[in-house]
Structure formats: C-alpha cells, structure tokens
C-alpha cells in the first residue's frame, strides 16, 4: 500500500544532505511551510541553496533558516522588505550569495525543471541589468533572453489537504508556488492542514497529483493564542 | 502660474476612469493599488494578482481578513463572485503571454521612448528586489505608469533617457501624473488633461522633454 | 456586464478570416468540439491551418472540415488511423500539408504560445527524423532541440460548464488540450454542455480562468437516439 | 532445440511482475496495454495516460463506458479511487520531466545501444504518425520494450543498429520478449529468463547481437 504520510516532521525531513538545493513555497505568509522550515533547521543540513520568492521576513521561517548560517545562496525575486534584516545583514556582510530573478522567470525556471525543458527564451528582463551575461535572441521581431531550469533536491511546500497517495489541494492564494515547486524537486515534502481519505479529494480538482509528491506531513492549522501542535502525524 | 497638483487619489480616479468594462488589469504594488478603490462601480473589471488571483475584490472588514487571501503587496483582499485561483506559473503565463489588457505600475523614471525604471535606484549599497515588475512590463498589452511628475527635488521623472536601471525597454504607453496625462507614441510624447491653470509651455519647461499636445483626448 | 455567452454557434464563430490558424481541442472523441467544427464548415473560411492531435476520423468533425478542402495545412501528432481516409486521400494527393509533431512537443509549443515563451529546448525527438533541420544544443550533458510556439487566431474547444465570465471546468479526460489551447489563441471559443451562474463554479476548481476565453456557446449534450439541439444559447 | 515461445499474455505477466509497488507507469498503445490486465493485485501501481489521467483502472462493464474516460489508445477505462485528471501539458510535463518510473513500449527494432524504433517503418508511401512515443522514450526513468523477438520472417528485432527511423537514442534499458528478457547496459546486452529448452547459444544465434548471460536475475 502506498503511504506517503510521514509520522513526524523529523521523519518527513530525513535525508537532507549538506549542499542540497531546497525550494521553499509561499508568498508572504500564505503557503509558507513554517513548520517544515523549523524542522529543516533542527535537521541541521548546511551549505544549502534556497529558492523562495522572498528572503525571509522578521526572525522566523526563512529568516530563521538564514540566521543559522547554513544557507550558502538564495535565489529569489524580492529579498528587500521592511523587516528583512536577517537577509540584509548577511548579504551586506558577504556571507550569503544572492541570485536575483524576476518573479515570472523564477517560476518558469522551476516549471521548466519539472517539465523536462532544457532552457527557454523569455522576453522578461531583456535590455536590463538582470539580462547581463545571458544569451539573447530575436524571435519574430521580439527580443528574448535564454533562461535555464532550476532543478532541486527538495521542495518544502504547504497545502490544505493531502491523501496517502500525495494528491494535494491548496487553499486560496496559498497555492502560489506549491504546485510548480512540487514538480521541480526530486523529493517534494508537503505539510498539510488535513489528511483526506483516498478518494475524498475530487479527481477534477486535485491541483498537484501525487506523482509530484514524495512525503506528506500533517501540521495542524494554528489556533490563535494556542501553541502550535505540530507534526503529530495522522489526525 | 497658479495651479494645484492632483492628489494621489485624484490620479487614481483618473486612471480608473480609463479602464473599460471587461478589462483584465494588474495594479502594481504601491501607488497603483489605490486605483482599485476608484473603479467605476457600474463596470465589471477583473483585477489580477501575481500570486494567483483573478477577480480580486476590495479589502475585507478586519474580522474577515484571511491570511491565505492577500494581494501581491501582501495586503488582505477578497475574491469577487466569479473569481478564480491558480498557481504562480499559470499566473505569470497570463502576464507574460499578453493576456492582461492593462498593467498600472509606479515608476522612478519613464523615458521618452517608453523605457521604464521602477525597480532599483542603482545605488551601490542598495539591496536589489525586482518581484514581478519586469514580467508585467513586457507582458501586459498596455503598460500605464502612475506617478508624480516631479521628484521631491523638482526633477522630471519623464526623462530623455533613464538614468536608473531599466525594468523594461519601450514598454510604457501612457503616464498618469499629478499634472497631466502623457501618452508615449511612436511619434513622440503627447500631453493632455493638464491640471487647471497649467499650460503646455510650463509643463514642457518642467519635463524638459519635447511634448506635443494631443488634439482630442481619448477616453 | 461581462457576458461572453454567444447566443448561437454562428455568432460564436463570427469573424473567422480566410487563412486563420485554428486550434481544435479533443483527444479521440473526448473534448472534441464537433458542433463548433460544423459551424466553422458552415461559416466557410478557407486556407486554414488546423492544429489537432489527430487528423480526423470517419467522415465527421475534423475529417468533415478537411473534406471541404478549406484546410491548407494540419499540425498534429497522429494523423494515421484505421478510419482516417479523408486525411489519407488529401495527403497522398498532395492537397494537404502535414506538420508532424510529437504529442508532448505539440502541447508544449501551444503552452509556450499562451505563456509568452519565445522558444524552448526539448529532449523529445533529438536524434530522430523529426529533429531534421532543427537547432540542437547540449545542456548539462543532455541533448535538446529547439522548438517554437504555435500561436493561433482561434481555439475551438469543448468544456463541461462555463459562466458568463468564461470560466471553464471540464469533464474527466475530455480536459486534454482544452486549457492549453484556450491560452494559445487570440480568440478562444468554448462549447459547453452547461452554463453555470457566476459563482457556481468553485474558484479552487476552475481549470481555465475566463481571461483565456473569449466566447462561450452552449451545446446540449447529445442524448443517444435524439437529434442534437445545438447552439440554442443560454439554457 | 525444443522450446515454446511465451504467449503475449505471458510476456505481459512477466513485465507486470517486475513493476514494484507505488510505481508510476505508462503503458504504450498496442501490446503493452495488456500489462494492465496482469498487474499483481496486492500492489498499488499507478497507471498514467497521456490524455490526462493518473490512476487508470481496468476497462468498465459495457454499460458503464464513459466517452470522456478513455486511455491513449482510445479504449474505455475507469479511474481508481485516488486518481486524478489534468490537462495535456501537465501530462507531458510528467512524462518529459522524468516523473514516470517506467514506460513500457512496443517496438519494431531495438539496437544494442538502446536505440528505439517504434513509430515508422520508413516506407516511402507510409503516412507518418508519432503520437507520444518520442516523449515517452526520452522521459520515463526506465523505458522497457515488450515485443516478440523475431519478425514473422524470423529476423531479430534486437539489432546492432536500427534500420527503421528512430524514436529515441539510447533510451531502452530492458526488452521483454517471447524468448527471453534482455537488459541493455553500458557494458552490453545481458539475457536471462530464457524460455525452457532455449539455451544462450541458440538465443545468440537468433539475435546475431553479442549477448552476455546475467549471473543473478534482478527482481
């Protein structure tokens, strides 16, 4: 019987090696797999390359991961924020490499990795600083630059519900990078608010089919004012 | 000369008035977000957000804020009846694929040939951040800029050639400012809807870029 | 008020010019917009380029369109079938140009058109006859060929239900090329079994957001043994 | 020598026995489709179909046939509990992106270096048709071929070099035939599970391509 449900966050994160490339979903707080990030910090892998739309805010989540000093490089579209002080300090100190990628190019490079595309021409960033050093080509009278896929070892994403085959559904704008990152990594790990029985997710409405998901772990949705009861496994 | 600048709300209202029924529109973060508050209530206009929303509605009451439903500026929003959610790659396929009718962006500078600079001041110690600006700049059918015409130091943000790092090349077709609306066309700039009391000569002096007067204002 | 619902198949097909490139959805009979094809035949545009996975079977649908002699070229992955005699005869007579494209490349070229990608490198067909004359490139030790988007003027697709904003849901494997073709054409026309009230389609489960759809026309699902009541507009 | 060829059903059963629990598998049209009927009932195996199905189940009873639910060979199928539908681009992203564990394809010829020819006989008057074969050939983690070893004329379909047009270059890792199973490895071909009564020398004579005997059969 296929059962992708891990009994704890620790089990879900097992095997992450030093030097791994790790995709982290979320846009703002929506879809941000904070508990998986905490578990990755506890797991201890270092020399990581992290891909996320931002570069952490405040002192938790991606910012907390950066603060451990175990991230070598971050690939993102929007690192600068009012409260991105952890990133700012590391970056200014030269202790964190930044690859800045336009948001649409970032997600298309992830999509290319998942879809087996070797490279693609995009009009985005042509003629700008971010095209520096990149090949360009004029196609049908329009200018494009060549971009390559971002393959990853792991994806940490957050979804609303999963079944034991790893089928996922999301909630509202928390979907964002999740489905694309799930397909782009060798091992995709989803934290979900709810485990569904096989067959409870509508086959017409499954957003990420289980083929893209290796491990699932349930993390109960935090109740305001109550400590998070994380990683207790199946409900 | 005696004239009053438009307020930001007035510029937003002016932009909103030009958005037709049925348009698919992305409002950039910052100033352009204000346009949402001034859309004519008798028109159905679909707002797109990079993070996977089509059919964004107004901000919710405080008790209805949903952390999974925010716009690209990470402000809480709602979903209109008929709206839809999708993932980020599909969202940027909409943008890059030319499916948005209009994108309204803020700007540091816009050049006379429609180059846009809005993502970096180019200062050596600045931390860069680009987000979806470059995708929106090349992708939307019409890219409108909404900005105050002059910097705080009184320098024109409409320039012969951008000195700030570019976001996109030749992409802007119209600029809404606090003093006038300026179209960027293959034949040059044309200004219209000047604030009362401001004449073309003075506007020309403020911008320093050759401006033609448009004979008939488009609506 | 936005209302993309056309009152008849004729209205839905209005404006198709000679020489247009037309995408036609469907895989086998599932998702095949037969009534839209019939309406295109009635409309009379000629010199067409048609894109479909197949090249018609039997004497109806795409085969009937080909038989009119108004199709100049077909782009497809699998023209040969037991009952593809209409295509076979035209092709052997040199009266129909064929561009044969691997199925995954076909759909990715359509996806590229919809997503604003200028060209992409795919491993599919490298080293085969179908790569003849195409650019190739070795990326990370693997060989790829360069493929370009298929932009189209119209897409004719079939979905299960639509609302007046053009949001679509599909039914089972009838989804196939529909969502990708809808995004790849300047004007996408969907025939649907059912018109839904705005808001009746779950925003989490809408497969094709209305931004990709220009026109919708209702065609009642055929009842076995009963003549099709086509194009009667809103239910 | 006296030996009996495996029937097609026996080859299908042999293939099915090698598919592990939890595998994502695409079965090509024609002969490979038969593998579905022999999957071990105690294993959960997920069948993928190009036309947007994951978790295909067996053929339905005649009265339950649904015209919107067929496999890539356009035969009616069912959906297992837990299966999902998706569009064609996502379906080929699964294929091309290396997400399928195994693809089983038919073949006209397979070369000693794993080249596959299965889409065209190359006859000048043939109407070509490729479908998804080239995508499957390059995309699946393991490409297995299922075929009779000899043509009707008695010629080996395992060949030093394909004479038919290629589907993919160096893609096949294993060939299941009616006489033996042959692995294609960087060190050459290795044959095993020969039918009773057939020895390696005779198999070698039939194929005409150097064959090594595998010491321990993998399961």
């Amino acid at each position: 019987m296929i059962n992708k449900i891990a009994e704890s966050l620790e089990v879900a994160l097992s095997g992450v090696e030093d030097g791994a490339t790790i995709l982290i979903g979320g846009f703002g707080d929506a879809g941000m797999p904070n508990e998986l990030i905490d578990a990755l910090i506890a797991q201890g892998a270092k020399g990581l390359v992290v891909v996320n739309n931002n570069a952490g805010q405040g002192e938790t989540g991606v910012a907390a991961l950066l603060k451990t000093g175990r991230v070598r490089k971050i690939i993102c579209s929007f690192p600068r924020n009012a409260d991105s002080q952890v990133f700012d300090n590391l970056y200014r100190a030269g202790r964190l490499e930044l690859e800045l990628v336009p948001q649409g190019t970032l997600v298309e490079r992830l999509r290319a990795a998942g879809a087996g595309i070797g490279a693609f021409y995009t009009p985005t960033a042509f003629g700008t600083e971010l095209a520096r050093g990149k090949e360009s080509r004029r196609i049908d009278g329009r200018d494009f630059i060549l971009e390559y896929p971002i393959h990853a070892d792991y994806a940490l994403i957050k979804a609303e519900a999963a079944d034991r085959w790893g089928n996922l559904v999301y909630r509202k704008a928390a979907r964002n990078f999740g489905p694309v990152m799930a397909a782009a990594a060798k091992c995709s790990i989803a934290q979900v608010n709810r485990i569904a029985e096989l067959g409870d997710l509508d086959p017409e409405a499954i957003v990420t089919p289980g083929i893209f998901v290796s491990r699932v772990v349930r993390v109960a949705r935090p109740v305001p004012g109550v400590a998070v009861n994380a990683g207790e496994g199946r409900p | 000369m005696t004239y009053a600048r438009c307020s930001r709300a007035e510029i937003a209202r002016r932009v909103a008035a030009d958005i037709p029924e049925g348009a698919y529109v992305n409002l950039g973060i910052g100033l352009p977000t204000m346009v949402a508050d001034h859309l004519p209530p008798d028109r159905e206009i679909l707002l797109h957000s990079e993070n996977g929303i089509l059919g964004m509605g107004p901000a919710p009451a405080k008790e209805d804020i949903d952390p999974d439903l925010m716009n690209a500026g990470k402000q809480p929003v709602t979903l209109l009846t008929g709206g839809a959610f999708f993932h980020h790659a599909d969202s940027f396929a909409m943008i890059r694929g030319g499916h948005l009718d209009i994108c309204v962006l803020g700007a540091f500078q816009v050049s006379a040939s429609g180059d846009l600079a809005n993502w970096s001041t180019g200062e050596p110690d600045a931390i860069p951040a680009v987000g979806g600006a470059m995708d929106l700049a090349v992708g939307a059918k019409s890219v409108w800029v909404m900005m105050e015409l002059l910097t705080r130091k009184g320098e024109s943000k409409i320039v012969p050639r951008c000195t700030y790092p570019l976001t996109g090349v030749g992409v802007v077709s119209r600029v809404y400012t606090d003093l006038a609306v300026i179209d960027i066309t293959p034949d040059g700039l044309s200004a219209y809807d000047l604030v009362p009391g401001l004449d073309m000569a003075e506007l020309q002096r403020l911008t320093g870029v050759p401006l033609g007067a448009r004979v008939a204002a488009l609506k």
Side-chain angles (χ1 to χ4, degrees), chain A, chain B:
Chain A
M1 197 179 89
I2 301 167
N3 186 7
K4 298 186 178 178
I5 301 168
E7 58 202 37
S8 69
L9 285 160
E10 189 185 350
V11 171
L13 261 291
S14 62
V16 179
E17 328 75 44
D18 290 352
T21 294
I22 302 186
L23 313 177
I24 299 179
F27 185 92
D29 211 45
M32 187 66 70
N34 282 312
E35 288 77 6
L36 281 174
I37 297 170
D38 288 345
L40 177 64
I41 294 170
Q43 195 266 355
K46 55 186 189 295
L48 303 175
V49 176
V50 165
V51 183
N52 179 252
N53 186 61
N54 300 98
Q57 292 174 264
E59 302 283 333
T60 61
V62 172
L65 176 61
L66 296 182
K67 202 163 190 174
T68 63
R70 301 197 198 120
V71 178
R72 175 174 72 74
K73 176 179 175 179
I74 187 158
I75 304 176
C76 70
S77 89
F78 209 87
R80 188 190 62 226
N81 275 294
D83 54 352
S84 58
Q85 63 275 9
V86 173
F87 167 82
D88 296 2
N89 292 338
L90 288 165
Y91 178 73
R92 290 191 200 281
R95 289 174 52 208
L96 180 59
E97 184 184 343
L98 167 68
E99 181 176 344
L100 187 74
V101 182
Q103 198 171 139
T105 300
L106 182 67
V107 74
E108 189 67 12
R109 290 176 63 191
L110 293 166
R111 194 263 172 192
I117 298 301
F120 61 90
Y121 287 97
T122 178
T124 300
F126 176 84
T128 76
E129 278 183 13
L130 296 187
R132 207 177 281 160
K134 295 183 192 279
E135 281 183 55
S136 68
R137 181 188 290 240
R138 179 164 275 248
I139 299 168
D140 271 347
R142 195 156 186 219
D143 293 307
F144 295 84
I145 62 171
L146 187 63
E147 292 283 356
Y148 292 89
I150 300 175
H151 292 280
D153 300 298
Y154 294 89
L156 311 185
I157 64 172
K158 182 177 173 181
E160 175 61 16
D163 59 30
R164 66 180 174 83
W165 283 6
N167 292 308
L168 303 181
V169 295
Y170 300 82
R171 187 168 179 277
K172 303 188 179 180
R175 186 182 304 192
N176 57 66
F177 284 90
V180 181
M181 287 184 168
K186 286 188 205 117
C187 177
S188 293
I189 308 167
Q191 72 170 68
V192 298
N193 291 317
R194 182 166 62 83
I195 301 289
E197 285 301 307
L198 200 67
D200 278 359
L201 303 179
D202 179 359
E204 304 279 8
I206 287 170
V207 174
T208 297
I211 192 170
F212 296 129
V213 178
S214 300
R215 303 174 192 169
V216 166
V217 62
R218 178 171 174 265
V219 177
R221 198 193 309 273
V223 179
V226 178
V228 175
N229 176 21
E232 299 288 47
R234 305 192 63 172
Chain B
M1 300 188 77
T2 309
Y3 56 86
R5 297 195 163 100
C6 291
S7 69
R8 292 173 159 208
E10 284 165 340
I11 309 175
R13 196 174 304 124
R14 180 68 189 81
V15 173
D18 282 354
I19 300 176
E21 167 99 341
Y24 294 96
V25 181
N26 184 295
L27 301 175
I29 58 178
L31 198 52
T33 305
M34 289 181 66
V35 173
D37 299 329
H38 297 279
L39 294 174
D42 60 334
R43 292 183 207 161
E44 283 189 334
I45 289 165
L46 279 91
L47 298 182
H48 170 271
S49 187
E50 291 94 308
N51 52 326
I53 313 173
L54 194 64
M56 262 196 312
K62 198 175 175 196
E63 62 274 21
D64 295 328
I65 287 176
D66 183 332
D68 287 340
L69 188 47
M70 57 177 75
N71 65 18
K74 291 159 193 172
Q75 298 163 312
V77 294
T78 48
L79 188 75
L80 298 181
T81 296
F85 299 113
F86 34 85
H87 63 55
H88 237 83
D90 282 350
S91 184
F92 279 85
M94 290 179 193
I95 294 172
R96 200 192 306 103
H99 303 281
L100 295 177
D101 296 297
I102 298 163
C103 173
V104 186
L105 293 171
F108 297 141
Q109 291 178 324
V110 176
S111 86
S113 60
D115 294 352
L116 171 67
N118 79 346
W119 73 282
S120 165
T121 56
E123 286 158 28
D125 67 334
I127 289 178
V130 65
M134 290 188 180
D135 305 282
L136 288 162
V138 299
K141 286 176 198 156
S142 296
V143 175
W144 294 351
V145 161
M146 178 178 168
M147 66 182 193
E148 276 132 12
L149 183 63
L150 306 178
T151 66
R152 287 185 193 168
K153 292 183 184 166
E155 293 164 342
S156 174
K157 297 200 233 173
I158 301 255
V159 292
R161 194 184 161 93
C162 294
T163 55
Y164 285 176
L166 293 188
T167 306
V169 179
V171 294
V172 179
S173 61
R174 188 178 291 172
V175 185
Y176 292 87
T177 77
D178 51 344
L179 294 179
V181 182
I182 298 169
D183 278 359
I184 299 177
T185 78
D187 302 325
L189 304 185
S190 75
Y192 52 101
D193 282 6
L194 280 59
V195 293
L198 175 66
D199 67 18
M200 192 61 79
E202 174 66 4
L203 182 65
Q204 178 72 78
R205 193 189 66 75
L206 290 171
T207 62
V209 175
L211 292 175
R214 203 172 66 181
V215 179
L218 291 173
K219 278 294 163 200

